[in-house]
Amino acid sequence: MQGFVNREALSTTISSRKATFFSRSRSTLWTKGETSNNFINILDVYIDCDRDSIIYLGTPDGPTCHTGEETCYYTSVFDQLNNDEPSGNKLALTTLYSLESIISKRKEESTVPQEGKPSWTRRLLTDDALLCSKIREEADELCRTLEDNEEVSRTPSEMADVLYHAMVLLAKRGVKMEDVLEVLRKRFSQSGIEEKQNRTK
């Protein structure tokens, strides 16, 4: 992964032996793993010849990337250039993981006092009743696009609202999108009726 550090972040990293960075958007330090528990345990710190770049050498407690991959650098440019197949699936996953990352950052920010009007995501993360009511409301509006035979363009719009609010709930519960996708992958090989019968009560 790549992040920005200032003198204080570097000092904290050296003293705590946990990879620590500085968030320029929140103007505060943050330690990798403080919400996911996937800390990076620092073994050494290297600086380049111009002394303007730093490398943390460490052992991660879990996936370094928020997507669940071991590293954030798992996409080969050459593979992308040589891939003649449509990249819709990869684009869809990238979009989901990007949204998940934004929501995760808002979750981290929600623990820090804030002046002014909070973002909508922050409001949802701090108000369970509001979040659940919005999920129910958006799901109903999605169904109405079918029941009321609304314009087709309304369906993906309402589905986007359902997905966004549902992903905020996932973040609230500490569940990753990859966990949901893994459940779906396991269901490919069995019928829906069989899957329901095998669910734990």
Side-chain angles (χ1 to χ4, degrees), residues 87-101:
S87 57
N89 290 338
K90 291 183 178 180
L91 179 60
L93 287 177
T94 300
T95 301
L96 286 176
Y97 290 139
S98 295
L99 176 57
E100 182 178 59
S101 178

Side-chain angles (χ1 to χ4, degrees), residues 171-186:
K172 179 80 175 179
R173 297 284 293 170
V175 177
K176 297 290 187 180
M177 177 55 64
E178 180 57 31
D179 298 330
V180 178
L181 296 178
E182 179 62 23
V183 172
L184 289 174
R185 284 192 289 268
K186 290 179 179 179

